[in-house]
Amino acid sequence: FAVCGFTDPLQALEFFKHNSGKINLVLSDIRMPQINGYELVRKIKILQPKVKVMLMSAFEINEEFSRVFPSVETGLISKPVSMKNLIRYIENYLAK
């Protein structure tokens, strides 16, 4: 994978605005400063509705996510996760 990493979700969103046609997957934590992962997904989906999104959290989020995004398909990953499993999750999700 070619990866662009960000520690600031607003910088990630700005990068996405200028590069959305080149991005196949957005992987984000849910709990972040400034904007949370749910807000980030909403803004990204407005810009590029077909982009695939995977969210990560150390907390149980399945029920919370289905309430916030009942019609958005996304992958959910519970942390901690090994690099091997993360790669497997991403490959499987991209193959859908």
Side-chain angles (χ1 to χ4, degrees), residues 27-93:
L27 175 63
S28 177
D29 202 332
I30 291 178
R31 309 275 193 288
M32 299 182 292
Q34 300 169 347
I35 66 171
N36 64 44
Y38 299 127
E39 279 185 78
L40 182 63
V41 170
R42 278 192 192 102
K43 293 174 185 283
I44 284 172
K45 288 292 192 173
I46 288 169
L47 297 168
Q48 180 55 267
K50 294 184 181 186
V51 71
K52 293 189 175 193
V53 176
M54 296 186 84
L55 292 172
M56 299 176 68
S57 181
F59 305 99
E60 182 58 43
I61 58 171
N62 290 328
E63 184 179 315
E64 177 184 351
F65 185 83
S66 62
R67 276 185 281 124
V68 176
F69 290 113
S71 64
V72 174
E73 181 184 333
T74 187
L76 299 172
I77 299 172
S78 294
K79 296 188 298 185
V81 61
S82 69
M83 186 59 71
K84 179 181 177 181
N85 283 338
L86 179 60
I87 291 169
R88 185 172 49 88
Y89 294 147
I90 290 171
E91 287 174 340
N92 289 338
Y93 190 66

